[in-house]
Structures are given as structure tokens and as C-alpha cells.
């Protein structure tokens, strides 16, 4: 099977053994601080956090971007390989990757995605990347000699592939099944039959497009490495692709650490003048598009936008854009969401309780809950080659690090 032009190809995988998977798999590197990772990995020598966040093996004052940290990650990775905790596949494979979180199940494929397709815009992005974070992933991949953190991709529905994946899940024994963070069950099956590999690769090649849900920095780093190395092995990057009807986006909320010099009364008046109706309410999530929740001085407000639309393009129609334009910029003076230190972001799984905790730490803070961006909205933005405001989407359940890697 010729793979050069395929958007997805099989690859030589690196996976934990069934006996060790529960000890190995860990939250993705970018959802934990170094301090949180150190606590989570304490007493767990097999945890993949010793590879993805190797600074936890040093004193707290060691930067995660020091050369010795990347060298430590490589040492830890080799230790797990040499010790038989991780094993390499004997032939190129696709892997069926299923995640179960409560009543929700999503089933996708671990693939080697085409860097050329990413560079040409067939694997579509919706966020900007930061050079410092790209550099980190480039150094990590170089040091370890493998891609260990997959990008999360979305594909439009392929009924024949979905039916095949369901049959694999129902009839075949998995390589392993293990519980990760937030009680998510991660299960992996290997697909190595030539006919099945060809069927899968051909089906995705006919669709010939995908969307980055999470992992913009991983994808950009892979593109840089491919340009630098020019080897066939570097022309593809590790990804897990799910179909759009199974993906879940949670709310991605905001906390601002001051009121931009306004008193509480002046701030509330300014928000109302910006086109919002405020009603004191019990704590809850927004129930519809155009509705927000605001937490200020131990009080929750239902916050309904009644103003004019920002525009007709898909970015202007996003609730996160309305909040950014009408409140964060116009009232609070925050125009650079990527770099302004006055704002922080709280993923929806942490919920209203975390907003309350952070806001209540000091007077003059305010928090906002946002109705989740829809998957269709993300696809529409990417199709137009536009960019969402930073931190517009929080996908849950999240892929675990250590489930599958690519040499």
C-alpha cells in the first residue's frame, strides 16, 4: 500500500502492556502545571508524566525548558522501553482508541497524519500557535526520539468506517483497557491486517480533510521537524481522529483579576450598556447560545446578550467572540487574550466551583461562564480559514498521554 499521498497512514506504534497500562497512562502534558504533575506522579515511577513533564524529577526551581529536562525525558522513555513497560509494534498499524466517560463513549483511530496535508490546509486549524510552545514540543520529540503526545482531530462522518470500528470493539480483544483521570476508561485495539488497513486509509483519503480539535502546537512542531529533517519518518505526525457526531466540547470559562479601575456598580452598569441583561440567579451553567453566567462579589448573575450581532462570519457569531468584544475588551480593557496576565481560563470540567474559588481569592475579581462552542461552529471557522479567540474550546474526555506513541 502506497502511503505517500494518504491523509492518514498506519504506523509503528509504541504502547504499554496490558499489565502496566493503568500505571503508565497520564493526563496530557498541557492540562497540568508542573506542581500538579509532581503531586500526581508521586510514588508512580511508570507514570508517563516522567516523560511528558520530566521537570517533576528535579527540584521545583528547575525550568521545564532546560536541556537537562528533555534529556531526562529521553532517559525515562528509554527506561520504560528497555524494561518492557512499553513495546513497539512489529508492523505498521492503525489503533482503535475508545474513551468512555460516564454515559458518553467516543471511538476513533490513532493514525499517522500527513504533515503535507497540514501544511496545505487539508488538516485545518482554528487557533494560532505560540513559538515558545512549538519550540518545547520540537525539543521534546527530538530528545525522546518519538512522538508521544497525539493531536486530537475531527473527521466528518464515514458510516462504513464507523461500522467497522464498532465491529472491532464488539468482537475483538483489546490490547488493554485502563482508567485514567476523571474516571475515563481508555481502551486500545490494534489493526494490522493489510486489507483492513487499506480499507481505512482509502476511506479517509477519499474524504481528504480533517480538523484540529486540540493539539495545534503538536501539529506545528511536527511540521517544523519535517521541514528540518526531510525524512519519510518525519513526514507524519501522531494523531487520534474521531467523528464529529461523537465529539463533545465543554464550556471554556474566563476569570479576570480586576475590574479595570471600575467600582462594582460602575462595572455592572457598563456591562448592561454593552448590551447585556443581568439577573441575579442561582449558580448554573448557561442553557443556550447568547446566555452567559457572571460571578461577582459572591453573587451569580444570568447574563443575556440582547445587543446587535457582531457580524455574519462564523467567528463573529461565537459566544466567546461576543464576550471578548463587548465585555473583556470594551469594559475590562483586555484585547490580547493570549498574553494579558489579567485574565485566566478555566476548563468546563472544573466548573463553577473553580470559578468561585479563584474569584473569591481577592476582591474586585469577576468570572464568566460561556455556553459551549458547538463542533459545527468550529468546523465552520476552520473551513473559512479563520481563527477563534484563544481558549474557545475545551474537549472532554481528553486523550491520555502514554496510550500510544509513534517512533
Amino acid at each position: 500500500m502506497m502511503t505517500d499521498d494518504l491523509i492518514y497512514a498506519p504506523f509503528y506504534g509504541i504502547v504499554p502492556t496490558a499489565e502496566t497500562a493503568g500505571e503508565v497512562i497520564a493526563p496530557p502534558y498541557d492540562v497540568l502545571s508542573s506542581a500538579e504533575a509532581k503531586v500526581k506522579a508521586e510514588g508512580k515511577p511508570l507514570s508517563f508524566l516522567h516523560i511528558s513533564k520530566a521537570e517533576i524529577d528535579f527540584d521545583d526551581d528547575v525550568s521545564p525548558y532546560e536541556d537537562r529536562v528533555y534529556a531526562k525525558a529521553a532517559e525515562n522513555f528509554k527506561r520504560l522501553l528497555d524494561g518492557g513497560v512499553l513495546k513497539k509494534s512489529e508492523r505498521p498499524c492503525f489503533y482503535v482508541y475508545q474513551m468512555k466517560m460516564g454515559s458518553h463513549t467516543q471511538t476513533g483511530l490513532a493514525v499517522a497524519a500527513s504533515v503535507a496535508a497540514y501544511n496545505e490546509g487539508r488538516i485545518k486549524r482554528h487557533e494560532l500557535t505560540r513559538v515558545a510552545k512549538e519550540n518545547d514540543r520540537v525539543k521534546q520529540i527530538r530528545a525522546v526520539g518519538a512522538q508521544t503526545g497525539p493531536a486530537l482531530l475531527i473527521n466528518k462522518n464515514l458510516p462504513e468506517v464507523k461500522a467497522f470500528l464498532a465491529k472491532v470493539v464488539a468482537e475483538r480483544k483489546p490490547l488493554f483497557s485502563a482508567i485514567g483521570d476523571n474516571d475515563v476508561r481508555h481502551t486500545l485495539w490494534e489493526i494490522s491486517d493489510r486489507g483492513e488497513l487499506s480499507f481505512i486509509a482509502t476511506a479517509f483519503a477519499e474524504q481528504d480533510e480533517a480538523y484540529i480539535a486540540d493539539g495545534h502546537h503538536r501539529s506545528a512542531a511536527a511540521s517544523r521537524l519535517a521541514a528540518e529533517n526531510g525524512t519519510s519518518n518525519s513526514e507524519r505526525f501522531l494523531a487520534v481522529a474521531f467523528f464529529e457526531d461523537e465529539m463533545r466540547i465543554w464550556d471554556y470559562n474566563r476569570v479576570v483579576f480586576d475590574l479595570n479601575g471600575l467600582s462594582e456598580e460602575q462595572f455592572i452598569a457598563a456591562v448592561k450598556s454593552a448590551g447585556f441583561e443581568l439577573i441575579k440567579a442561582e449558580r448554573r451553567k448557561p442553557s443556550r447560545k447568547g446566555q452567559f453566567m457572571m460571578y461577582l462579589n459572591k453573587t451569580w448573575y444570568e447574563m443575556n446578550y440582547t445587543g446587535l450581532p457582531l457580524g455574519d462570519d462564523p467567528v463573529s457569531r461565537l459566544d466567546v467572540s461576543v464576550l471578548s468584544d463587548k465585555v473583556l475588551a470594551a469594559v475590562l480593557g483586555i484585547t490580547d487574550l493570549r498574553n494579558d496576565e489579567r485574565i485566566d481560563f478555566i476548563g468546563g470540567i472544573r466548573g463553577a466551583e473553580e470559578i468561585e474559588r479563584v474569584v473569591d481569592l481577592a476582591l474586585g475579581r469577576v468570572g464568566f461562564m460561556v455556553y459551549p462552542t458547538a463542533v459545527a461552529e468550529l468546523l465552520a471557522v476552520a473551513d473559512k480559514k479563520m481563527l477563534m479567540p484563544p481558549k474557545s474550546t475545551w474537549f472532554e474526555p481528553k486523550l491520555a498521554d502514554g496510550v500510544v506513541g509513534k517512533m
Side-chain angles (χ1 to χ4, degrees):
M1 178 173 54
M2 295 296 294
T3 62
D4 291 353
D5 297 327
L6 298 174
I7 191 168
Y8 296 158
F11 62 101
Y12 289 92
I14 308 162
V15 302
T17 65
E19 295 76 20
T20 62
E23 300 174 72
V24 171
I25 66 171
Y29 80 98
D30 52 355
V31 303
L32 296 175
S33 67
S34 298
E36 290 171 329
K38 179 170 280 193
V39 170
K40 188 167 286 292
E42 186 175 0
K44 300 175 181 177
L46 302 186
S47 171
F48 211 82
L49 289 170
H50 295 286
I51 298 164
S52 61
K53 295 187 74 68
E55 69 272 15
I56 66 175
D57 291 343
F58 295 90
D59 292 338
D60 293 345
D61 60 350
V62 172
S63 166
Y65 307 118
E66 293 187 30
D67 288 345
R68 57 177 166 163
V69 171
Y70 298 109
K72 187 66 174 176
E75 176 188 321
N76 291 338
F77 184 65
K78 185 176 185 300
R79 171 172 57 84
L80 295 191
L81 277 174
D82 291 348
V85 175
L86 301 177
K87 58 182 181 180
K88 302 176 186 177
S89 64
E90 297 179 354
R91 59 186 66 85
C93 305
F94 287 122
Y95 294 88
V96 180
Y97 185 166
Q98 184 179 83
M99 297 189 289
K100 286 188 176 183
M101 183 180 187
S103 61
H104 175 77
T105 299
Q106 59 190 69
T107 306
L109 274 169
V111 302
S114 166
V115 168
Y118 170 81
N119 291 339
E120 293 163 6
R122 288 182 284 125
I123 297 179
K124 305 175 185 182
R125 63 201 93 175
H126 66 268
E127 288 183 2
L128 292 172
T129 55
R130 298 174 65 176
V131 173
K133 289 190 173 183
E134 283 185 29
N135 291 342
D136 171 54
R137 289 301 92 190
V138 167
K139 291 178 180 178
Q140 170 81 7
I141 295 169
R142 278 183 184 150
V144 172
Q147 297 177 27
T148 59
L152 177 64
L153 304 183
I154 303 174
N155 277 88
K156 294 181 179 177
N157 198 14
L158 290 171
E160 67 277 19
V161 176
K162 289 193 71 173
F164 172 74
L165 299 186
K167 186 176 177 64
V168 170
V169 168
E171 298 179 358
R172 301 187 190 179
K173 182 180 179 180
L175 294 175
F176 65 82
S177 187
I179 300 293
D181 256 28
N182 301 313
D183 292 324
V184 177
R185 178 169 289 280
H186 301 265
T187 308
L188 202 71
W189 292 260
E190 182 181 281
I191 305 297
S192 59
D193 176 82
R194 288 181 179 272
E196 292 175 346
L197 295 177
S198 179
F199 158 69
I200 293 168
T202 300
F204 282 106
E206 290 174 353
Q207 188 175 92
D208 203 34
E209 66 175 7
Y211 301 80
I212 299 175
D214 199 3
H216 285 79
H217 290 97
R218 298 175 182 89
S219 307
S223 176
R224 280 177 47 183
L225 284 166
E228 294 170 11
N229 296 345
T231 65
S232 59
N233 196 46
S234 67
E235 292 173 354
R236 294 191 170 274
F237 64 97
L238 179 65
V240 179
F242 293 94
F243 293 109
E244 61 177 318
D245 61 338
E246 294 188 10
M247 299 291 285
R248 291 199 309 179
I249 300 178
W250 292 44
D251 42 303
Y252 213 154
N253 304 308
R254 282 85 167 108
V255 169
V256 180
F257 299 134
D258 64 65
L259 299 182
N260 199 29
L262 301 175
S263 68
E264 183 179 324
E265 293 76 17
Q266 289 171 328
F267 172 70
I268 288 175
V271 171
K272 290 180 178 178
S273 296
F276 293 88
E277 174 192 48
L278 295 180
I279 305 167
K280 289 186 179 181
E282 295 296 320
R283 182 182 71 195
R284 65 176 186 274
K285 290 187 175 185
S287 59
R288 59 174 174 79
K289 188 172 172 60
Q291 184 181 84
F292 307 80
M293 297 296 292
M294 182 176 80
Y295 183 65
L296 176 69
N297 193 17
K298 297 186 181 298
T299 303
W300 281 97
Y301 297 83
E302 183 181 301
M303 185 176 163
N304 298 298
Y305 183 62
T306 59
L308 296 173
L310 300 184
D312 291 331
D313 63 85
V315 174
S316 296
R317 293 195 292 266
L318 298 173
D319 276 7
V320 288
S321 295
V322 172
L323 183 68
S324 295
D325 185 85
K326 295 295 185 178
V327 179
L328 300 181
V331 179
L332 293 170
I334 296 174
T335 57
D336 184 357
L337 298 181
R338 298 169 71 211
N339 298 302
D340 198 313
E341 295 183 354
R342 297 170 54 220
I343 190 169
D344 199 6
F345 303 88
I346 296 174
I349 197 166
R350 298 192 177 189
E353 293 86 353
E354 181 67 7
I355 292 176
E356 290 178 347
R357 187 192 70 80
V358 175
V359 171
D360 289 345
L361 288 173
L363 292 174
R365 295 184 172 193
V366 61
F368 303 95
M369 295 192 76
V370 184
Y371 190 70
T373 301
V375 172
E377 291 179 310
L378 183 155
L379 304 189
V381 169
D383 281 338
K384 291 290 187 180
K385 299 182 179 180
M386 301 181 75
L387 300 172
M388 289 183 173
K391 311 295 185 183
S392 293
T393 56
W394 178 280
F395 283 88
E396 201 73 51
K398 290 191 174 297
L399 302 172
D401 280 355
V403 169
V404 61
K406 172 186 173 295
M407 295 297 285

